[in-house]
Amino acid sequence: RKLRSIDDQRIYTAGIRLPQEATQHFPFPQELEKQASSIQMWMGRSRQNHALTKLHCDIYTSLLVQIWGKKRARLYPPQHHCYLYPMQAFRGYQPCLVNPLKPDIQRYPEFLKAQCFEVEINPGDMLVIPSGWFHSLEAEGLNFSVSRGIPLEAASDCKLPL
């Protein structure tokens, strides 16, 4: 994926693979290393009230670590999928038609029934986004985070330190 710029105020990498030389700075539990996806980096800036990552769900459990800046995640449980208007055909992740920041209630009236959890992540925080949970991410100002995906079976066996 390439660096995207919609206008002068938003530039974002949208999940570029972290260069091999930098992976040593982001250690990962050895027992999950073979099952995990490559490290993705998410870096850039956005405008207020605009999503960096549109509403979707991933087939993997995502481990998102905030390095600098802060983000707000909106998380919707899997049982609310019918209110989020997910696309039926997908590969790797399932995007939704509704924009949770500016929902068009005329087109997507069921969205009013969806309940979301909002979480702010700051530098040093890790957010675990379980497989099947729909989510979107926002940020104000410059930010940088990294993520890895692990299969649901591996994630359920994983014991992360608190």
Side-chain angles (χ1 to χ4, degrees):
R1 298 183 189 169
K2 297 179 181 176
L3 187 66
R4 298 184 299 165
S5 177
I6 293 175
D7 57 29
D8 290 337
Q9 296 184 22
R10 181 182 188 264
I11 298 177
Y12 200 62
T13 61
I16 292 176
R17 185 179 292 204
L18 189 70
Q20 185 63 36
E21 301 80 22
T23 59
Q24 67 184 348
H25 301 291
F26 302 98
F28 198 69
Q30 191 65 36
E31 60 272 12
L32 295 174
E33 189 66 44
K34 290 182 182 174
Q35 300 175 51
S37 66
S38 60
I39 302 174
Q40 302 291 305
M41 66 177 187
W42 309 84
M43 184 172 66
R45 66 176 187 252
S46 71
R47 294 178 293 159
Q48 187 174 8
N49 298 319
H50 285 77
L52 286 174
T53 305
K54 293 182 179 182
L55 186 59
H56 71 284
C57 80
D58 297 308
I59 59 171
Y60 287 122
T61 292
S62 297
L63 306 176
L64 178 68
V65 178
Q66 192 65 23
I67 308 302
W68 35 266
K70 55 184 162 182
K71 288 184 177 172
R72 181 178 10 266
R74 294 173 189 263
L75 304 163
Y76 298 85
Q79 60 268 32
H80 285 226
H81 75 278
C82 55
Y83 309 135
L84 305 175
Y85 300 87
M87 293 182 178
Q88 297 306 307
F90 66 94
R91 181 178 174 188
Y93 72 99
Q94 186 175 24
C96 296
L97 298 173
V98 66
N99 176 352
L101 300 178
K102 298 175 186 172
D104 182 342
I105 301 305
Q106 293 290 87
R107 289 181 72 185
Y108 309 112
E110 295 293 304
F111 181 71
L112 292 174
K113 297 177 183 176
Q115 294 180 354
C116 101
F117 301 93
E118 287 190 32
V119 178
E120 184 173 284
I121 55 174
N122 295 290
D125 290 344
M126 180 176 70
L127 177 62
V128 177
I129 305 171
S131 174
W133 277 67
F134 290 84
H135 57 282
S136 66
L137 295 160
E138 310 160 47
E140 290 184 32
L142 199 56
N143 64 83
F144 176 58
S145 54
V146 295
S147 68
R148 289 193 88 169
I150 53 176
L152 183 60
E153 317 78 61
S156 63
D157 294 337
C158 183
K159 292 175 180 47
L160 298 171
L162 297 177

